[in-house]
Amino acid sequence: MDVLDQILPLVKKPARYAGGEWNAVHKEWSDVDLRVAFAFPDVYEVGMSYLGLQIFYEIVNRRVDTLMERVFAPWPDMEEKMREYNLPLFSLESRRPVGDFDVVAFTLQYEMSFTNVLNMLDLSGIPLKSTERDEKCPLVIAGGPCAFNPEPMAAFIDLFAIGEGEELISELLDSVRKGKQRALPRRDFLLEASRLPGVYAPGLYRVEYRTDGAVSKVKPVQEGVPARVTKRIVRDFDQAPFPRRPLVPSTEVVHDRIMLEVLRGCTRGCRFCQAGMLNRPVREKKPSTVLEQAAALVESTGYDEISLTSLSTSDYTPVSKVIKSLLDQHAQRGVGVSLPSLRVDNFSVELAKEVQRVRRSSLTFAPEAGTQRLRDVINKGVTEEDLLETTAAAFREGWRAIKLYFMIGLPTETDEDLDGIVRLAKEVLDLGRKARVPRNKLRVTVSVSSFVPKAHTPFQWEPQDTLAELKRKQDYLAVRLKERGLVFNYHDAGLSFMEAVFARGDRRLETVLIHALELGCKFDGWSEYFNLERWLEAFRLSGLEPAWYAGRRYDYEGPLPWDHINSGVSRRYLAEEHRRALSGVTTVDCRTGDCPGCGLCPDLEAKPSLAGGV
Ligand code: SF4
């Protein structure tokens, strides 16, 4: 593609668009029946750090009848050149226009990437709205956590894949292939695909609203379309397809290491956490599988670090044993092990000690709230004692910097809880001083995000604090966290506000997204590009009020915009958890053997599976 060669020297980081990485798969288009473009709605460095991409790349390219190539959102400088030179969005492998593929598969990891999806469709010459696409257009599908409230994106996506995609992607591709062979008209194909378990075809549902504007019903418009779509899960996680020859990026990316998933699901039950509710039940890989996959990955990638990934790796039952074996097998070649997340306990400090031959500069813990009362409300099973003991142990072991994650705006929060954050941070700092960490090296970083009520969690009904209140709380903390050795970071409250709007939004937000794109809202997850004023203008132009979505207490008894998507966790359980939260009553983790009855196992005929052994 000559134009591309002309453009690449003119943009920042041309490697983002060059392809040709180690382990990339190049298949002949004429050798396969179906071509799939995996579209990540963010820049290359972020997309290449997403394990799901590697998994789907393996599954689709392993089939003889299909191929998958990759496409990422071009950074604004590249987009400008592409538009100037009339170059459509293209895949990295064959450099073919995205519009030539049979299927374009987006992953929706974050609400603030929605306009990037629209922009990528536009750059591909694919009509934004599903209803405007004809037989020649690729099928546009989407999955990922945001598909669990698909409604704000309903107008733009032909089919949503709900839940884990390892098995569903193949079933869906079989169905697309057969549909193509039979020259099935697009609408008939969507109807047929909507009958596959885990597939939601939004164009086949109608939304009704109450007089107060709230959604009253989302119902199928045609016979045979399921009233509710239940998420898919991989029952045999141990044997699920896993890429043994993953792509190795040729430029620096966010997670530049082997990502080896050891555990799926987290059942600790933090009440604000959507990932914890959506990824049930908990399933662990056998140690022998982890070791065998690790050996293959070290061999095929040349990386010198294996990151054992999951929502909470220190919960992986055989974690110590596996780390020891991995180090025994690979340390001699200079390959280390890392853990992306740590629990607040001494066991985690021990693990961190084990894996880090060279002491890293900081350890991160997430107590989330400043008082025991509020930690009980959110079901964060961490006590003040745990935190102080753990951080004291970390300082003793030689760490000099500790990062603490908190959330503000949580349901029932008062200024006393904010004072608790300040007190805890200062106590941790004090422990560092007592452990004689040199004053110029001692650092306690308090990082504060704002609570975003998410669909399918016990807090889905809760209002978010107003923007003004979130900013007041940030200022309140900033004033009180001024001390040598303390660093205070906080996320943009405006960004969390917009995130809440789309996390609990409905179909009417399609107009906002179109206006936002026209106004230039892109890469909104990047603070340098997020512009709240532009978003508010998009709402004004659409005649919608964002605070109505983010700051309203949703009707407890009434329907929710995402009721037709079944995460497996029952509404009855979420409501019960919500009531328990308000009474400060905690709930046990079902990995201990006690089932608090979230409803998933009976509904999906699944059960937790632990690898066993310590
Ligand atoms: S049904 Fe019980 S055991 Fe299964 S995921 Fe829910 S709480 Fe855990």
Side-chain angles (χ1 to χ4, degrees), residues 267 280-282 573 590 594-602 606-608:
T267 41
R280 288 168 182 235
V282 70
Y573 177 78
C590 65
D594 277 341
C595 167
C598 80
L600 182 128
C601 293
K607 56 178 194 298

